[in-house]
Amino acid sequence: MLVEQIWTANNYRNFNYLIACGETGDALAVDPLDHEKCLAAAKKRGWQIKQIVNTHEHGDHTGGNRAMIAATGAKLLAHKNAGSRIAGIDRGLGAGDVIKIGKSVELEALDTPGHTMSHVCLLSHTDTPALFCGDTLFNAGAGNCHNGGHPSELYQTFAAQLAKLPDKTQVYPGHDYIANNLGFTLDREPDNKKAQQMLPQMREQDPSRALVTTLALEKEINTFFRLHSPSVIARLREAFPDLPDDPDAKTVFVKLRELRNRW
Ligand SMILES: [Zn+2]
Ligand SMILES: [Zn+2]
């Protein structure tokens, strides 16, 4: 499996992706908003884009579909319930569905509600798994829920699916928000040494050569995976004095998501 992460350099800081089979050159584009950059990258690598996956229905993920399909004839795949919000879906995806690219690549669709209620992530079936997670999981952060999502569903997705993936899973999100998100981590957990160490480097990072994190690293620096951390809970109690002594993980997650909205 070959992966090209494409930095769009737009105001929303989107990442687009090409995933290709090294044997055939067949490729799949994930959320190819910047269709020109995606097409140029495919041409440079000698890849043919045969499929597009939209992780979800927001315009900064679907906005390149029309031009990309016109240029390549690619088939469009998205969550099976996104049909009323994404035009021209050729294949609706449900949990466990497998997407083949060329001869050598298989991606599994995960049904990951929370940011919206028709969001898929893609998990590669490779020795080192890779997760293409749209606006569900960001480097050091989580997607917002105010454009068609629900925080409690996002918690379920994190707890029941994402947290259970192998620690070595590589994380490929839909946006570059890492520096800002590390700031939130340190606001919530000022003694997080790893986040302290990373923040200055990430502020200087060139997003066209972005750090690819692993799930193990996310569990160190992403507040939304640190729901049992005593310092996260202690700081949370300053904002929510009624927080119980031993709050459950879902309560902590939902309150963190609420604080992130106004941070
Ligand atoms: Zn979105
Ligand atoms: Zn987005």
Side-chain angles (χ1 to χ4, degrees), residues 14 56 60-61 135 175:
N14 288 84
H56 64 293
D60 60 311
H61 297 258
D135 289 1
H175 295 263

Side-chain angles (χ1 to χ4, degrees), residues 139-172:
N139 298 130
N144 68 49
C145 303
H146 41 249
N147 290 298
H150 296 289
S152 55
E153 301 280 349
L154 190 62
Y155 166 73
Q156 272 305 323
T157 290
F158 268 64
Q161 298 191 68
L162 304 185
K164 292 182 175 168
L165 297 176
D167 273 347
K168 65 182 179 179
T169 304
Q170 294 184 300
V171 175
Y172 291 104

Side-chain angles (χ1 to χ4, degrees), residues 12 14 31 55-56 58-61 115 134-135 138 174-175 177:
Y12 296 115
N14 288 84
D31 296 337
T55 56
H56 64 293
H58 289 157
D60 60 311
H61 297 258
H115 172 66
D135 289 1
F138 294 126
H175 295 263
Y177 294 153

